[in-house]
Amino acid sequence: MRRVIVIAVAGASLAGCSSVSFDSLQPSPSPVQIQLESKPPGDEARTSLGQSCKTPCSVTLSAPEGGFSVTYALTKFQPATVQVQVTPGDFLNLSAPTISPNPVVAELQPVPTPPKPTGKKPKKPATPKGAAEASPAASPFPAQAR
């Protein structure tokens, strides 16, 4: 009976070990600083992670694995989005992740202006002179009797 109890306790303790997560042993993502620039300067740059600033500026963020995007917006310019790739750092050397591109630069294009109206109204097509004066008697089809 004692042997059964020891085996049951050992089994329960091993089952508890299987639920332990080793994610807590991995270092948290180290914050990185990224430079945001645009042409023309002074627009709002917003990362897909939520940070924003007026260019030129820099933001500090915890870079996610894979990457994120930066969207630039300025009045009278078309918005632009730049994808940023994040390469994780080396776990053994504890190096920081690599951000590419850094600085993140976008060149905004002006919104095209609609063409101005010329002020002239389009002319209606002229009807041929003979078509308005044609009489029903001159028709090649005879009139039907009623």
Side-chain angles (χ1 to χ4, degrees):
M1 180 71 169
R2 187 173 189 174
R3 187 177 283 189
V4 173
I5 293 173
V6 170
I7 292 173
V9 170
S13 65
L14 287 175
C17 289
S18 68
S19 65
V20 172
S21 172
F22 291 103
D23 290 339
S24 61
L25 298 177
Q26 293 180 351
S28 62
S30 59
V32 293
Q33 189 167 18
I34 187 165
Q35 183 71 25
L36 305 174
E37 300 175 5
S38 67
K39 296 176 186 174
D43 63 338
E44 181 181 359
R46 181 176 300 277
T47 69
S48 59
L49 304 173
Q51 296 88 347
S52 65
C53 61
K54 297 264 184 211
T55 61
C57 59
S58 63
V59 293
T60 302
L61 48 90
S62 294
E65 282 189 34
F68 59 95
S69 62
V70 180
T71 302
Y72 296 84
L74 183 63
T75 305
K76 297 184 181 179
F77 287 87
Q78 295 177 347
T81 301
V82 177
Q83 296 297 322
V84 179
Q85 297 300 317
V86 178
T87 306
D90 187 7
F91 180 71
L92 298 175
N93 297 329
L94 299 176
S95 63
T98 305
I99 307 291
S100 178
N102 192 7
V104 181
V105 181
E107 187 169 339
L108 302 179
Q109 301 298 320
V111 173
T113 56
K116 293 182 180 180
T118 58
K120 296 180 181 178
K121 294 183 180 178
K123 294 182 178 180
K124 293 182 181 179
T127 57
K129 290 185 178 181
E133 298 173 2
S135 65
S139 174
F141 301 103
Q144 293 181 344
R146 293 188 180 196

